[in-house]
Amino acid sequence: MLTWNVQWAAPGSWRTTEILRRVEQHNPEVVCLTETNDKLLSHPGHSIVSRPDYGYPITAGRRKVMLWSREPWEHIDDLGLDAMPPGRFVSGVTKTSLGRVRVVGVCIPWFGSRTEPRRGQDRRMRWEDHEEYLAGLTEVLGQGPSERLIVMGDFNQVIGPGSRAPARLRSALYEAFRRMTIATSNVAFLERRSIDHIALSADLSVSSVTAISNTHGNRRLSDHFGVAAHLSRHE
């Protein structure tokens, strides 16, 4: 499993060529890319994407969240809840070596989301979208029967020490994932702790987690580094 915020890397760009090379090195079964393009993962496989309107002027092909799998997707949901800030959620069920897994891709809003809205929108307070999203995600993840579940994407919070989020929002994040393990909570690269994460239901465990460098020579591939995890199933 692999997730990476690729900072709007465009198809065919030098950044995309190198990003995809690094993704393929890990041979992932499922990938979540955030701040991406719906054509970025064009190699064989199956992609689903979040809705295009995420509260800012829309550029053709841009999506806040994309999920890719080797196998087809079923039971696709690109909404979550009406009350959640838009365009930052997609989920589906796919077959993997772990069995059938529900995968949820998220891009939890950063603290400044829609604080400078486009014309006709209400102005949001700092952290307001983040808080509303976590409230909705808590409800979404608590719905339905227990199932094998992986949540991946940009959480826009460091887990544990070093978090700059207000205490109530750190608590809200823990509440959303109270039944899960955030396998990437201690991942760091160049002394920066990850805000891109992979969370697992209780029937799954992680055997290894790796940071994916976001540097290429003296150039930067993204303002985020990626994370990859090898998972196993409890027997």
Side-chain angles (χ1 to χ4, degrees), residues 23-80:
V23 168
E24 289 164 2
Q25 282 181 331
H26 291 272
N27 194 30
E29 292 185 77
V30 178
V31 175
C32 178
L33 297 183
T34 56
E35 293 193 349
T36 188
N37 186 286
D38 60 8
K39 301 294 191 298
L40 204 72
L41 288 173
S42 58
H43 56 288
H46 306 269
S47 296
I48 56 177
V49 294
S50 56
R51 296 184 181 187
D53 185 356
Y54 56 94
Y56 294 94
I58 298 167
T59 301
R62 283 191 171 188
R63 293 293 190 275
K64 273 290 185 178
V65 191
M66 171 191 286
L67 288 175
W68 174 93
S69 173
R70 295 178 189 172
E71 301 295 332
W73 293 97
E74 303 173 12
H75 308 296
I76 298 163
D77 176 9
D78 65 359
L79 176 63

Side-chain angles (χ1 to χ4, degrees), residues 7-23:
Q7 197 186 4
W8 305 120
S13 68
W14 74 268
R15 288 202 295 138
T16 292
T17 299
E18 184 59 24
I19 286 167
L20 295 183
R21 187 187 72 79
R22 296 184 187 195
V23 168

Side-chain angles (χ1 to χ4, degrees), residues 9-206:
S13 68
W14 74 268
R15 288 202 295 138
T16 292
T17 299
E18 184 59 24
I19 286 167
L20 295 183
R21 187 187 72 79
R22 296 184 187 195
V23 168
E24 289 164 2
Q25 282 181 331
H26 291 272
N27 194 30
E29 292 185 77
V30 178
V31 175
C32 178
L33 297 183
T34 56
E35 293 193 349
T36 188
N37 186 286
D38 60 8
K39 301 294 191 298
L40 204 72
L41 288 173
S42 58
H43 56 288
H46 306 269
S47 296
I48 56 177
V49 294
S50 56
R51 296 184 181 187
D53 185 356
Y54 56 94
Y56 294 94
I58 298 167
T59 301
R62 283 191 171 188
R63 293 293 190 275
K64 273 290 185 178
V65 191
M66 171 191 286
L67 288 175
W68 174 93
S69 173
R70 295 178 189 172
E71 301 295 332
W73 293 97
E74 303 173 12
H75 308 296
I76 298 163
D77 176 9
D78 65 359
L79 176 63
L81 289 179
D82 281 327
M84 295 170 69
R88 296 170 174 270
F89 178 98
V90 67
S91 73
V93 176
T94 189
K95 294 179 182 178
T96 73
S97 60
L98 303 168
R100 286 171 58 83
V101 181
R102 180 187 177 207
V103 184
V104 177
V106 302
C107 188
I108 300 174
W110 71 305
F111 72 86
S113 174
R114 295 195 289 182
T115 54
E116 297 181 2
R118 62 187 180 185
R119 184 176 299 175
Q121 288 183 334
D122 293 333
R123 185 182 183 89
R124 298 300 180 107
M125 302 297 291
R126 285 163 60 105
W127 293 106
E128 184 177 356
D129 270 357
H130 188 97
E131 188 164 19
E132 287 186 1
Y133 192 99
L134 284 176
L137 185 63
T138 301
E139 185 173 344
V140 169
L141 297 182
Q143 290 175 347
S146 177
E147 60 184 336
R148 186 161 294 143
L149 175 64
I150 299 171
V151 181
M152 299 195 290
D154 182 354
F155 287 21
N156 264 309
Q157 279 200 48
V158 165
I159 308 300
S163 175
R164 297 181 179 179
R168 73 180 190 282
L169 298 183
R170 296 198 298 270
S171 296
L173 184 70
Y174 297 143
E175 177 64 17
F177 293 96
R178 67 188 183 280
R179 299 177 182 176
M180 306 184 73
T181 299
I182 301 178
T184 48
S185 58
N186 294 317
V187 176
F189 178 72
L190 296 180
E191 300 184 352
R192 289 182 57 198
R193 297 187 64 194
S194 185
I195 61 173
D196 292 20
H197 292 293
I198 301 172
L200 320 172
S201 55
D203 58 341
L204 298 174
S205 60
V206 59

